[in-house]
Amino acid sequence: MLETAELGHTIGKRAFDRAEPKLREALVNAQYDLMEGKRKAVIVLLSGVASGGRGETAKQLSEWMDPRHLRVQAFGERSPEEAAHPLPWRYWRALPPRGRVSIFMNAWYAEALQARVSGRLDDAALDATLHAIREYERMLAHENVLLLKFWIHLSKSAQKRRLAELDRDKARTWRVTDGDWNRARHYARHHDLWEHTLRETSIGEAPWCVVEGVDERYRDLTVGSILLDGLNRVNTPPTPAQRKLERAQRPAAVSPAVIDNVKLIRDLDLGQRIDDKRYERELERLQGRLAQLTRRKRFGKHSLVLVFEGTDAAGKGGAIRRVVGALDPRLYEIVPVASPTDEELSHPYLWRFWRHVPGLGGITVFDRSWYGRVLVERVEGYCGEADWLRAYGEINAFEKDLVDAGTVVCKFWLQISNSEQLARFRAREKISFKRFKITEDDWRNRKRWPDYERAVADMVERTSTEIAPWTLVEAEDKRFARIKVLRTIVRQLEHGMDR
Amino acid sequence: MLETAELGHTIGKRAFDRAEPKLREALVNAQYDLMEGKRKAVIVLLSGVASGGRGETAKQLSEWMDPRHLRVQAFGERSPEEAAHPLPWRYWRALPPRGRVSIFMNAWYAEALQARVSGRLDDAALDATLHAIREYERMLAHENVLLLKFWIHLSKSAQKRRLAELDRDKARTWRVTDGDWNRARHYARHHDLWEHTLRETSIGEAPWCVVEGVDERYRDLTVGSILLDGLNRVNTPPTPAQRKLERAQRPAAVSPAVIDNVKLIRDLDLGQRIDDKRYERELERLQGRLAQLTRRKRFGKHSLVLVFEGTDAAGKGGAIRRVVGALDPRLYEIVPVASPTDEELSHPYLWRFWRHVPGLGGITVFDRSWYGRVLVERVEGYCGEADWLRAYGEINAFEKDLVDAGTVVCKFWLQISNSEQLARFRAREKISFKRFKITEDDWRNRKRWPDYERAVADMVERTSTEIAPWTLVEAEDKRFARIKVLRTIVRQLEHGMDR
């Protein structure tokens, strides 16, 4: 892919001077249309060889466009806060909202290449990383982020000339470092790695544009024109014919399970109970153990994410209270998942959960979670079928990011029987604790019980992974459920901290 | 204030067992009413002597209330990211939105007391800090945050007993550290400091409640009851009579300036121009100088905040472009201030600007700013008179926080004449750059020219401080304005980095 960018493309000054004002006006107008239409967010990812002119291109774009509505994001050495979070955290934080353009300098590519060059990743691990990058970029495309990736390239000799030139230029020498010269020396060795990386990550949703960096007029005009084209495509609403085609290209509405996987839920032995005395004894023992584990020094190299889902009135709140009752209240955050704010709505779906991902030594309890997409949003039709179908994979990738960073992820589905739910609803109508107020929605959801059962079964089947398994909790007896939850957390934590 | 909390208050077990279930139900219901009404945010600040039981009280409150909607915030040693930002930054970040309760452990008090004890602050500096705290808490009260401050107290002998007790309790010894014993040894010396601090910061809007910590039943019931009372007051809409009284108590609608301060604006010599050749020369020189200054190592101990305000079409955008043209695009963020998001609206006014305050080595350019409150919000009546009247002081305090952290703050007001504005509006209607689109609002604002003049004059008079002065920029000639802006930034930066 790189050869064509080693040919010495140039654009003459006169041709440039003719093209520039038009491009500039069109770019700013497209930028303003984007802000108004808010159809997508746009990321211009600039990567490439050292001294290819990424920085200059970023600067030129912010001069051409309205810099007030353009953000240039550099991702250098990780700050201590970034280092204490899963790898993708800092990229999630930097995502522009719909209607905005951000330039990402190098971003995840520099990090992956650097890790390979330094030997921290071997070939297989690099490929796994590139695979994760592909999935991440696909997710962005589906979630209304247009990602334009540019590899600014120089041939070996062109790079050498450029470095020497910059070194001579007194006003500019601050930009050439020993590191640059060092990297240049290894050009040949890196060439294959670049080729491989570009090939592996050039996907339909976000192909690479390799742009030769020798001639800055050619470089900047090319990047600018491709960006303009991208903006215009985003700003133009699809015609009915395009919409139809798009729908046709989406994953077919495959009925996720042919076999009757609902059995999984129906076969739960809801008759399991625990007597008072054993409950008190076990509760104290397990809370004590959980308190110990989270106070250990070693917990500072881990974190804990707890996910609570379940049928309405299954006792999620009560279970959460028994868990956090064991914890130092300064260490945990409970996130009750309700309607998203407008800032959350203008970002990809998982953004609002990434905001609460704990740093090392931290604990986040999600009271309902990202699984809303494949539960309530699926059942109620709040999102399209294609959206919840792809959510399973995105969620698995998200949880892998957490686990890779040392997070222990425990996911609980609390199940009660239909009749027990009715009894609890009735009882709640009579008590004065506002926490337990029964709403119209609760009664409505009850009617969709079979749909939810189906959705839960698919969810468990598709997202119960070895690294982040689901625990199905028989919650007909609240005390039994609480003990099972606590015991599972203790076990997973012991196991996770042993690794 | 502390003597009454050294008397040995206790509550018997039976009295406690009678009171607790009622208090608990009332607390949870009040918490749910708060979430529904979203009238205010509530902060429970727990401070006091070591081992007084702050942590236990926080735990008890999260057990009594619904912990899913309660956040306990500890503020220990500053993280590197916190240390790179102005002191109040971490408290701003932790502020709960309206409808939520947060428990703040120690927060700004522990930090102030610690600094005095360690000698980093002398008596005068402590008093200045306490003054700033008073102003901050008053601002919170005005901005729909109910702050309930508790000082959990123990007499000297009670503290000693408590420490010995905890030390003996095997299951709990992790909580008694050498630091605790050390602090206890200096009890007498600290007693006066506590008294002084409590007295100086017990204000009408947020009085201290000193609660004796010896008996945990007494301690927790007292804190819980006061919190319940606070929640109930927040949740009850004021009666018409109360509303009237409240209005009467607000600062009188003092016409801010009796003398004709508008002269300040009208007397600007808008005839000042600069010729092409000098403009190009100066622009290059000043941009080069600015680039140098921000690249210096020493800039890493500072940051730069630029505020651009001005009449419509005065050329703010063009000036900003010339400034950032000198900067590494990875170092700055431009914040165009538009309508607040719903998350921003549920926090105190300045919250949405604190979000963008740069860390050390960073640059933030505000295209319009917090001065909106005393400009457009005042003129258009978007906020009450009392609100914009108190904003001057709050803004001065905010900018002092920035400057204290090493930030150089440059504020520009760009002024053009009424006729020049008309000419620019007309010209803009003819060009196709969407950036310069003239809206209905722009024409409407023009009609309120005298009101804006008045508001600007008051703003400059009240917020041009020695540490963060306003620069009035004669912008009739755009090039003259840009040079003046750049020259001012360079000067203020040179001066600020010399300190």
Side-chain angles (χ1 to χ4, degrees):
Chain A
M1 295 178 74
L2 297 173
E3 299 82 16
T4 57
E6 297 175 1
L7 299 171
H9 292 92
T10 55
I11 282 186
K13 186 166 181 332
R14 274 185 58 196
F16 181 85
D17 288 346
R18 257 198 323 275
E20 194 206 8
K22 280 182 220 149
L23 177 62
R24 183 179 180 156
E25 181 179 336
L27 271 175
V28 176
N29 284 346
Q31 190 185 10
Y32 273 73
D33 286 340
L34 183 76
M35 276 199 285
E36 207 165 293
K38 291 199 173 60
R39 304 175 66 85
K40 293 195 179 192
V42 175
I43 295 175
V44 178
L45 190 150
L46 296 178
S47 198
V49 305
S51 311
R54 283 159 297 180
E56 284 83 350
T57 301
K59 207 161 164 57
Q60 181 61 268
L61 291 179
S62 23
E63 274 163 25
W64 279 341
M65 299 175 80
D66 190 331
R68 294 176 295 181
H69 306 292
L70 182 78
R71 181 91 194 258
V72 180
Q73 299 269 6
F75 301 97
E77 285 286 297
R78 285 175 178 263
S79 72
E81 204 196 2
E82 288 170 349
H85 283 88
L87 283 173
W89 184 75
R90 62 174 180 170
Y91 306 118
W92 277 93
R93 278 182 112 194
L95 285 186
R98 283 204 311 273
R100 292 308 180 95
V101 183
S102 280
I103 298 178
F104 277 20
M105 305 302 288
N106 302 310
W108 41 88
Y109 286 102
E111 214 162 29
L113 290 170
Q114 188 51 38
R116 180 67 198 93
V117 167
S118 72
R120 249 194 314 115
L121 296 182
D122 61 15
D123 280 341
L126 175 70
D127 280 347
T129 301
L130 298 182
H131 173 78
I133 286 176
R134 278 199 305 271
E135 293 305 313
Y136 181 66
E137 294 182 353
R138 252 181 217 127
M139 179 279 300
L140 290 179
H142 285 298
E143 294 280 333
N144 297 313
V145 180
L146 174 69
L147 174 64
L148 298 168
K149 300 188 294 193
F150 296 95
W151 180 269
I152 311 290
H153 195 64
L154 292 177
S155 67
K156 186 174 178 180
S157 54
Q159 190 187 41
K160 244 173 117 176
R161 271 200 309 279
R162 170 71 66 95
L163 281 171
E165 220 172 79
L166 288 175
D167 234 359
R168 268 197 306 277
D169 184 345
K170 282 267 159 68
R172 288 173 136 189
T173 37
W174 57 279
R175 280 185 307 189
V176 182
T177 64
D178 290 349
D180 293 331
W181 281 112
N182 251 324
R183 275 189 291 277
R185 237 163 263 135
H186 297 124
Y187 187 97
R189 195 143 57 83
H190 295 167
H191 199 274
D192 288 351
L193 175 60
W194 298 332
E195 275 272 358
H196 177 76
T197 300
L198 295 188
R199 200 175 52 238
E200 287 292 310
T201 55
S202 226
I203 55 175
E205 291 87 345
W208 277 101
C209 310
V210 180
V211 179
E212 190 165 1
V214 176
D215 177 69
E216 60 188 52
R217 287 189 295 257
Y218 169 81
R219 181 191 68 212
D220 294 347
L221 267 191
T222 306
V223 172
S225 307
I226 294 171
L227 170 57
L228 175 62
D229 180 59
L231 287 170
N232 285 339
R233 272 184 294 127
V234 167
N235 290 330
T236 315
T239 63
Q242 282 170 322
R243 236 187 259 272
K244 207 172 149 189
L245 190 69
E246 221 174 73
R247 261 199 303 272
Q249 285 168 340
R250 280 194 194 156
V254 183
S255 174
V258 190
I259 55 151
D260 184 13
N261 60 2
V262 177
K263 214 170 163 311
L264 185 80
I265 304 296
R266 294 209 183 130
D267 282 359
L268 286 174
D269 176 7
L270 297 182
Q272 295 178 87
R273 316 199 86 73
I274 191 170
D275 66 49
D276 266 12
K277 238 172 98 186
R278 211 177 128 215
Y279 171 69
E280 295 299 341
R281 208 175 51 227
E282 284 287 280
L283 184 69
E284 205 186 315
R285 188 183 67 81
L286 290 166
Q287 284 187 331
R289 181 73 184 132
L290 180 57
Q292 268 181 343
L293 286 168
T294 53
R295 260 187 249 137
R296 274 206 198 157
K297 208 177 159 198
R298 209 197 301 170
F299 186 64
K301 296 198 175 299
H302 293 273
S303 60
L304 182 60
V305 164
L306 305 178
V307 173
F308 285 86
E309 297 280 357
T311 42
D312 290 331
K316 291 194 298 294
I320 291 173
R321 290 170 78 90
R322 294 333 180 273
V323 171
V324 299
L327 303 171
D328 183 335
R330 291 165 291 191
L331 285 189
Y332 65 80
E333 179 189 11
I334 306 182
V335 181
V337 173
S339 332
T341 66
D342 53 9
E343 291 183 38
E344 289 169 345
L345 282 173
S346 71
H347 286 93
Y349 179 68
L350 287 172
W351 188 80
R352 64 190 182 116
F353 306 104
W354 272 102
R355 297 178 104 181
H356 297 288
V357 161
L360 295 177
I363 300 168
T364 307
V365 181
F366 289 95
D367 180 9
R368 302 194 189 273
S369 68
W370 43 94
Y371 286 99
R373 181 138 266 197
V374 297
L375 294 172
V376 58
E377 292 194 33
R378 166 186 173 175
V379 171
E380 303 291 339
Y382 296 154
C383 70
E385 187 165 39
D387 292 323
W388 62 259
L389 275 172
R390 70 182 155 79
Y392 297 113
E394 290 167 10
I395 286 172
N396 286 338
F398 169 42
E399 293 174 1
K400 182 171 186 305
D401 287 331
L402 300 183
V403 172
D404 283 348
T407 309
V408 174
V409 180
C410 306
K411 307 185 294 196
F412 299 100
W413 174 263
L414 272 63
Q415 180 71 39
I416 53 175
S417 66
N418 194 301
S419 56
E420 175 67 18
Q421 188 186 53
L422 185 63
R424 290 192 189 176
F425 277 19
R426 291 261 156 83
R428 283 184 177 193
E429 286 184 321
K430 284 181 203 129
I431 57 169
S432 56
F433 261 100
K434 292 184 187 175
R435 170 167 56 200
F436 296 129
K437 216 166 71 184
I438 295 292
T439 66
E440 287 290 307
D441 275 359
D442 293 322
W443 287 110
R444 215 166 40 82
N445 287 347
R446 243 185 87 72
K447 293 201 187 123
R448 314 208 66 164
W449 185 280
D451 298 329
Y452 275 101
E453 255 183 353
R454 177 72 180 277
V456 172
D458 287 342
M459 168 186 85
V460 172
E461 193 166 304
R462 294 176 164 228
T463 60
S464 205
T465 58
E466 223 176 81
I467 55 167
W470 274 101
T471 302
L472 301 179
V473 181
E474 301 83 351
E476 202 90 342
D477 177 23
K478 285 179 183 177
R479 292 166 310 175
F480 178 86
R482 291 169 192 165
I483 296 299
K484 183 163 181 180
V485 164
L486 270 164
R487 185 179 296 131
T488 307
I489 297 171
V490 165
R491 271 196 204 144
Q492 277 192 240
L493 206 50
E494 283 171 341
H495 178 74
M497 283 166 68
D498 261 355
R499 281 179 314 181
Chain B
M1 295 179 74
L2 298 174
E3 298 81 17
T4 57
E6 298 175 358
L7 299 170
H9 293 93
T10 56
I11 282 186
K13 188 167 178 332
R14 274 185 58 196
F16 181 84
D17 287 347
R18 256 198 324 272
E20 195 206 9
K22 280 182 220 150
L23 176 62
R24 185 180 178 155
E25 181 178 336
L27 271 175
V28 176
N29 284 346
Q31 189 186 9
Y32 273 74
D33 287 339
L34 183 77
M35 277 200 284
E36 206 166 292
K38 289 198 174 65
R39 304 175 67 85
K40 296 197 179 191
V42 175
I43 296 175
V44 177
L45 191 151
L46 295 179
S47 198
V49 304
S51 311
R54 282 158 297 181
E56 283 85 349
T57 300
K59 207 160 164 60
Q60 181 61 269
L61 290 178
S62 25
E63 274 162 26
W64 278 341
M65 300 174 78
D66 190 331
R68 292 176 296 181
H69 306 292
L70 181 78
R71 181 91 194 258
V72 179
Q73 300 270 6
F75 302 97
E77 285 288 294
R78 287 177 175 264
S79 73
E81 203 194 4
E82 288 170 348
H85 283 87
L87 283 174
W89 185 74
R90 62 174 180 168
Y91 304 119
W92 277 93
R93 278 182 112 194
L95 285 186
R98 281 204 310 273
R100 292 307 180 95
V101 182
S102 280
I103 298 178
F104 277 22
M105 305 302 287
N106 300 311
W108 40 90
Y109 286 102
E111 216 162 29
L113 291 170
Q114 188 50 39
R116 180 66 197 94
V117 167
S118 72
R120 251 196 310 115
L121 297 182
D122 62 14
D123 279 342
L126 175 70
D127 280 347
T129 301
L130 297 182
H131 173 79
I133 286 176
R134 277 199 305 271
E135 293 305 314
Y136 182 65
E137 294 183 353
R138 254 183 213 124
M139 179 278 299
L140 290 179
H142 285 299
E143 295 280 333
N144 296 316
V145 180
L146 174 68
L147 176 63
L148 297 168
K149 301 187 295 193
F150 296 95
W151 181 268
I152 312 289
H153 195 63
L154 291 177
S155 67
K156 187 172 176 183
S157 54
Q159 191 186 40
K160 244 173 120 176
R161 269 200 311 278
R162 172 70 66 96
L163 281 171
E165 220 171 82
L166 289 174
D167 232 359
R168 267 196 308 276
D169 184 346
K170 280 266 160 67
R172 288 172 136 188
T173 37
W174 58 279
R175 281 185 306 189
V176 181
T177 65
D178 290 349
D180 292 332
W181 281 111
N182 252 323
R183 274 190 290 280
R185 238 164 262 133
H186 297 125
Y187 187 96
R189 196 143 57 81
H190 294 167
H191 198 275
D192 288 352
L193 175 60
W194 297 333
E195 275 272 359
H196 177 76
T197 300
L198 295 189
R199 200 174 51 238
E200 287 292 310
T201 55
S202 225
I203 55 175
E205 291 87 345
W208 277 101
C209 310
V210 179
V211 179
E212 189 166 2
V214 176
D215 177 67
E216 60 188 52
R217 288 190 293 258
Y218 169 81
R219 182 190 67 211
D220 294 347
L221 267 192
T222 306
V223 172
S225 307
I226 294 172
L227 169 58
L228 176 62
D229 179 60
L231 286 170
N232 285 339
R233 273 184 293 128
V234 167
N235 290 330
T236 315
T239 63
Q242 282 170 323
R243 235 186 259 276
K244 209 172 147 191
L245 189 68
E246 222 174 72
R247 261 198 302 274
Q249 285 168 341
R250 279 193 193 156
V254 182
S255 173
V258 190
I259 55 152
D260 184 14
N261 61 1
V262 177
K263 210 168 166 309
L264 183 82
I265 305 295
R266 294 210 182 129
D267 281 359
L268 286 173
D269 177 7
L270 297 182
Q272 294 178 87
R273 315 200 86 74
I274 191 170
D275 66 48
D276 266 13
K277 239 173 97 186
R278 211 177 128 218
Y279 172 70
E280 295 298 342
R281 208 175 51 227
E282 284 288 279
L283 185 69
E284 206 185 316
R285 188 182 68 80
L286 290 166
Q287 283 188 330
R289 182 73 184 130
L290 181 57
Q292 270 181 342
L293 286 169
T294 53
R295 259 186 252 136
R296 275 205 196 157
K297 208 176 158 200
R298 208 196 303 170
F299 186 64
K301 295 198 175 298
H302 293 272
S303 59
L304 182 61
V305 164
L306 305 177
V307 173
F308 286 86
E309 297 280 356
T311 42
D312 290 332
K316 289 192 299 294
I320 291 172
R321 290 171 78 90
R322 297 329 181 275
V323 172
V324 300
L327 303 172
D328 183 334
R330 291 164 293 190
L331 286 188
Y332 65 80
E333 178 189 12
I334 306 183
V335 181
V337 173
S339 333
T341 65
D342 53 8
E343 291 183 38
E344 289 170 344
L345 282 173
S346 72
H347 286 93
Y349 179 68
L350 288 172
W351 188 80
R352 65 189 182 118
F353 307 105
W354 270 104
R355 297 178 103 179
H356 298 287
V357 161
L360 294 177
I363 300 168
T364 307
V365 182
F366 289 94
D367 180 10
R368 303 194 192 273
S369 68
W370 43 94
Y371 285 99
R373 180 138 267 196
V374 297
L375 294 172
V376 57
E377 292 194 35
R378 165 185 175 175
V379 171
E380 304 290 340
Y382 296 154
C383 69
E385 187 165 37
D387 293 324
W388 61 259
L389 275 173
R390 70 182 156 80
Y392 297 114
E394 289 167 11
I395 286 172
N396 286 338
F398 170 41
E399 293 174 359
K400 181 169 186 307
D401 287 331
L402 300 181
V403 172
D404 283 348
T407 311
V408 174
V409 180
C410 307
K411 307 185 294 195
F412 299 101
W413 174 262
L414 273 64
Q415 180 70 40
I416 52 175
S417 67
N418 193 302
S419 56
E420 176 66 19
Q421 189 187 52
L422 185 63
R424 290 190 189 176
F425 276 18
R426 292 260 156 83
R428 284 184 177 194
E429 287 184 320
K430 285 182 202 128
I431 58 171
S432 55
F433 260 102
K434 291 182 188 176
R435 171 166 54 202
F436 296 128
K437 214 165 74 183
I438 295 292
T439 65
E440 287 291 309
D441 274 358
D442 293 323
W443 288 110
R444 215 166 40 82
N445 288 346
R446 244 185 87 72
K447 292 200 187 125
R448 315 208 64 165
W449 186 280
D451 297 329
Y452 275 101
E453 255 182 353
R454 177 71 180 279
V456 172
D458 287 341
M459 169 185 85
V460 172
E461 194 166 303
R462 295 177 164 229
T463 61
S464 206
T465 57
E466 223 176 84
I467 55 167
W470 274 101
T471 303
L472 301 180
V473 181
E474 302 83 352
E476 202 90 344
D477 177 24
K478 285 179 182 175
R479 293 166 309 176
F480 178 84
R482 291 168 191 164
I483 296 299
K484 184 164 180 179
V485 164
L486 270 164
R487 186 180 294 131
T488 307
I489 297 171
V490 164
R491 270 196 205 144
Q492 276 191 243
L493 206 49
E494 284 171 340
H495 178 74
M497 283 165 69
D498 263 353
R499 283 179 313 176

